[in-house]
Amino acid sequence: DGGITQSPKYLFRKEGQNVTLSCEQNLNHDAMYWYRQDPGQGLRLIYYSQIVNDFQKGDIAEGYSVSREKKESFPLTVTSAQKNPTAFYLCASSPERTNQPQHFGDGTRLSIL
Amino acid sequence: AQSVAQPEDQVNVAEGNPLTVKCTYSVSGNPYLFWYVQYPNRGLQFLLKYITGDNLVKGSYGFEAEFNKSQTSFHLKKPSALVSDSALYFCAVIPAGNSGNTPLVFGKGTRLSVIA
């Protein structure tokens, strides 16, 4: 079945450490997105990519970085500059046409040790 | 810039009763509107969308939503609630005909609790 795979499901970060969250899709979608979810705040956009080797900052990009070297993959790195990284991170993808829904992975929960 | 408001953080309804989860939006021009549902520790699942045509849209699991252009609303409804409908619901909007893959704008979510 086609879908989006996020790994790991749970991740722990030490102070000063960078961590990378994986997102892979086999839906042949052009666009991919990263969201951060905090209780009571809904989904906030971190980065998105419309095409390979190109990406744009979302609303809360500071302290995060991404790459899009392959159509299927859009990893997110949470850097040590992100002072409050504890959250639930969701990856999504969508086809080219904007009237089509986004598909979501099952998320990665990041916590600080 | 577009925005979505979900005025209720929490909606409680008895099993078997009708439910409504409210959503209002602001967008330049015509909107594309979406509803998603999220169960604990899971990603969002698509329920239904309004693109054009009939104002009443039917989606998954017996849910439907009514697009009201004059009130800029897109409320989610179900005639008879189930305990298994208890989840977090998100409304999202994007301007119609928007070029490229501009991201959806999501509301903050409404937690639905269906009581047996």
Side-chain angles (χ1 to χ4, degrees), chain A residues 37 96 98-99 102 105 109, chain B residues 36 38 41-43 49 100-101:
Chain A
Q37 186 176 19
E96 182 178 356
T98 56
N99 63 1
Q102 292 182 5
R109 189 167 297 280
Chain B
Y36 290 83
Q38 185 182 32
N41 295 312
R42 300 294 302 272
K49 66 180 181 181
N101 285 311

Side-chain angles (χ1 to χ4, degrees), chain A residues 71-84:
Chain A
K71 187 175 185 177
E72 302 79 19
S73 179
F74 191 42
L76 173 74
T77 296
V78 183
T79 74
S80 57
Q82 172 51 245
K83 297 306 179 186
N84 184 23

Side-chain angles (χ1 to χ4, degrees), chain A residues 9 30-31 33 35 37 40-43 45 48 50 88 90 94-96 98-102 104-106 109, chain B residues 32 34 36 38 41-46 49 51 88 90 94-95 97-104 106-109:
Chain A
K9 192 165 182 64
D30 293 300
Y33 313 83
Y35 295 91
Q37 186 176 19
Q41 296 197 45
L43 274 66
L45 182 66
Y48 65 104
Q50 298 174 333
F88 190 52
L90 287 165
S94 66
E96 182 178 356
T98 56
N99 63 1
Q100 297 302 311
Q102 292 182 5
F104 284 81
D106 275 341
R109 189 167 297 280
Chain B
Y32 292 155
F34 301 81
Y36 290 83
Q38 185 182 32
N41 295 312
R42 300 294 302 272
L44 276 66
Q45 297 177 29
F46 168 72
K49 66 180 181 181
I51 302 301
L88 188 58
F90 289 96
I94 191 170
N98 198 47
S99 61
N101 285 311
T102 303
L104 289 172
F106 287 86
K108 291 189 175 182

Side-chain angles (χ1 to χ4, degrees), chain B:
Chain B
Q2 56 264 29
S3 64
V4 173
Q6 294 183 241
E8 300 156 317
D9 292 336
Q10 173 95 28
V11 171
N12 298 318
V13 63
E15 187 175 30
N17 282 3
L19 70 87
T20 299
V21 182
K22 295 179 181 177
C23 171
T24 59
Y25 67 89
S26 173
V27 70
S28 298
N30 293 320
Y32 292 155
L33 293 155
F34 301 81
W35 274 103
Y36 290 83
V37 60
Q38 185 182 32
Y39 298 99
N41 295 312
R42 300 294 302 272
L44 276 66
Q45 297 177 29
F46 168 72
L47 278 178
L48 51 81
K49 66 180 181 181
Y50 171 81
I51 302 301
T52 188
D54 289 342
N55 290 341
L56 186 63
V57 178
K58 294 187 182 296
S60 306
Y61 312 119
F63 284 94
E64 58 189 29
E66 186 169 10
F67 172 63
N68 187 316
K69 188 172 183 178
S70 63
Q71 297 185 4
T72 61
S73 67
F74 189 55
H75 301 331
L76 181 70
K77 300 181 180 183
K78 188 173 182 180
S80 178
L82 301 172
V83 171
S84 57
D85 293 330
S86 298
L88 188 58
Y89 290 81
F90 289 96
C91 182
V93 70
I94 191 170
N98 198 47
S99 61
N101 285 311
T102 303
L104 289 172
V105 173
F106 287 86
K108 291 189 175 182
T110 297
R111 187 164 301 281
L112 173 67
S113 180
V114 181
I115 304 161

